[in-house]
Amino acid sequence: MGKVTGFMEFERLEEGYEPVPQRVKNYKEFVIGLNNEQAKVQSARCMDCGTPFCNSGCPVNNIIPDFNDLVFRGDWANAITVLHSTNNFPEFTGRICPAPCEAACTLNVNDDAVGIKSIEHAIIDRAWAEGWVTPQPATVKTGKTVAIVGSGPAGLAAAQQLARAGHSVTVFEKNSRIGGLLRYGIPDFKMEKSHIDRRITQMEAEGVVFKTGVLVGAFPADSKVTNDAKTTITADELKAQFDAVILTGGSEQSRDLPVPGRDLDGVHYAMEFLPMQNKVVAGDKLKGQIMATGKHVIVIGGGDTGSDCVGTSNRHGAASVTQFEVMPQPPEQENKPLVWPYWPLKLRTSSSHEEGCVREFAISTKRFNGAKGKVTGLTTVHVEMKDGKLVEIPGTEKDYKADLVLLAMGFTNPVASVLDAFGVTKDNRGNAKAHTDEGGYRTNVDKVFAAGDMRRGQSLVVWAIREGRQAAREVDGFLMGSSTLPR
């Protein structure tokens, strides 16, 4: 490494945030990234540890010690080359990945982990600023055609890899803009959509064709999934027109809370609420936008989607925001000797929580209360774990005031109609059944593959990129007999 004793000399430096009163007035990113000198100092903390567990902790297996060393030496151009060798879109992961690589960092055993995510963020932002991110069109075309259904991170990664291998790639997206859940699920204050747009420009220069507003198959009439489709295409038409098809849609079926009062006006899925705001930020004119302005908001679900609802509600000007989590409050500090190098269970406080939010743990909703068809509150009870099950604690019922309730309890599976249209066999969770062993990512339907949330279920953006890259290799091998694309 560039400075073998750096981890003993330098402290971890976190990226900064703009002040809360300033950032909640808009939907722009507010993270203050490391400058060149700060990134150099942070990269110097990377140890000569022999076995870099960070590499295996990262789902795309980023070559982390190498790009850290290059940043320390000031060789930023080669740092982005190393980073791009495993990750097509580090500007996405450098902003919204929870950084499992840092949990696996050897220094994290008894100290603060190397700030890997902040260094990655600095590398890609400088690469764009310097003009180092350019199209890489294939020099030879194969004559093979591939259709990709879904334009989220898995679909985009697969499309870019296959286009660079010389195939003609067409991406189909049911909404009016490319990006999938990157576009419509993640608030702009966490990742502005210009990062997607410039990648689309790069990929179009590499030969990828994007078709928006096209629905493959048919959605149920009562589906709550965002859908701006103006035309449809059948599964049979896609299979007839293309040599291979990859299904890369997101896990969009929200987990419901079927308790009394669920049908009251004002109780919504998070993915009804969040995409609306993203569309408004993009300049769309919407009727009936769900707003939190002046309302007492309760978010049910303690994960990232719930946190996004908190941040958006604060920007709307909510009267109050309360977030429920059914599990007990985790410890503020994990037991590192027990869990390292795996992802630890510990209390995580997001930037949205810091903007204003009351958090309640070990709490379950018994019913929604209302008047004249509208939600006015809900009744809860505290729960505890007994014999592996959550049971109610007698005498702990409590009423909360609520004008808006957002259900953010995760997602169960992709929209079944897409898989049904192709006749793809599903696993017991409702995902496409496509293993990653021999013949990886293939479904039971000839020349139809599946990757990302469509195959593995709700997961991280970085896992979607990995799946898209690996599926691209399998499709390339299927079309050509062998593949030189990286695994």
Side-chain angles (χ1 to χ4, degrees), residues 187-221:
D188 288 74
F189 58 79
K190 288 177 67 175
M191 191 188 80
E192 293 177 18
K193 308 316 171 191
S194 58
H195 303 298
I196 304 173
D197 295 336
R198 59 185 178 186
R199 279 295 180 183
I200 300 310
T201 300
Q202 179 200 32
M203 292 172 66
E204 287 176 332
E206 293 172 345
V208 178
V209 175
F210 294 97
K211 293 190 175 181
T212 57
V214 180
L215 180 64
V216 178
F219 270 16

Side-chain angles (χ1 to χ4, degrees), residues 330-350:
E332 292 190 10
Q333 180 62 54
E334 74 272 29
N335 186 338
K336 290 185 178 182
L338 179 65
V339 300
W340 179 88
Y342 302 108
W343 185 248
L345 176 65
K346 67 176 182 179
L347 182 65
R348 302 176 192 279
T349 300
S350 73

Side-chain angles (χ1 to χ4, degrees), residues 27-41:
Y27 294 88
K28 296 183 180 298
E29 292 179 10
F30 53 81
V31 173
I32 303 170
L34 304 183
N35 61 35
N36 293 350
E37 185 59 32
Q38 290 170 332
K40 176 180 178 179
V41 171

Side-chain angles (χ1 to χ4, degrees), residues 257 266-274 290-292 296-301 305-306 308-310 312-313 316 321-324 368 378 402-409:
L257 185 59
V267 181
H268 300 277
Y269 290 123
M271 286 306 294
E272 295 177 80
F273 176 67
L274 295 174
I290 303 168
M291 296 294 294
H296 296 282
V297 179
I298 290 186
V299 179
I300 301 179
T305 304
D308 294 343
C309 289
V310 170
T312 302
S313 296
H316 281 185
V321 183
T322 305
Q323 185 177 24
F324 290 170
F368 299 111
L378 44 77
D403 308 303
L404 174 63
V405 179
L406 300 171
L407 306 181
M409 301 174 295

Side-chain angles (χ1 to χ4, degrees), residues 16 19 35 65 95 115 130 162-163 179 221 228-229 279 284-285 287-288 290 325 339 350 381 396 419 422 451 480 483:
N35 61 35
R95 285 170 166 79
E130 298 283 356
L162 288 166
D228 302 330
K279 290 181 178 182
D284 292 354
K285 303 296 183 182
K287 293 183 179 179
I290 303 168
E325 168 56 56
V339 300
S350 73
V381 64
T396 62
L419 299 178
F422 283 90
M480 307 302 294
S483 179

Side-chain angles (χ1 to χ4, degrees), residues 153-188:
L156 294 178
Q160 185 164 68
Q161 294 295 97
L162 288 166
R164 290 176 176 180
H167 306 303
S168 296
V169 180
T170 303
V171 177
F172 294 88
E173 168 58 49
K174 67 183 183 298
N175 288 302
S176 58
R177 293 182 178 89
I178 295 296
L181 292 176
L182 283 172
R183 174 79 65 177
Y184 294 107
I186 296 171
D188 288 74

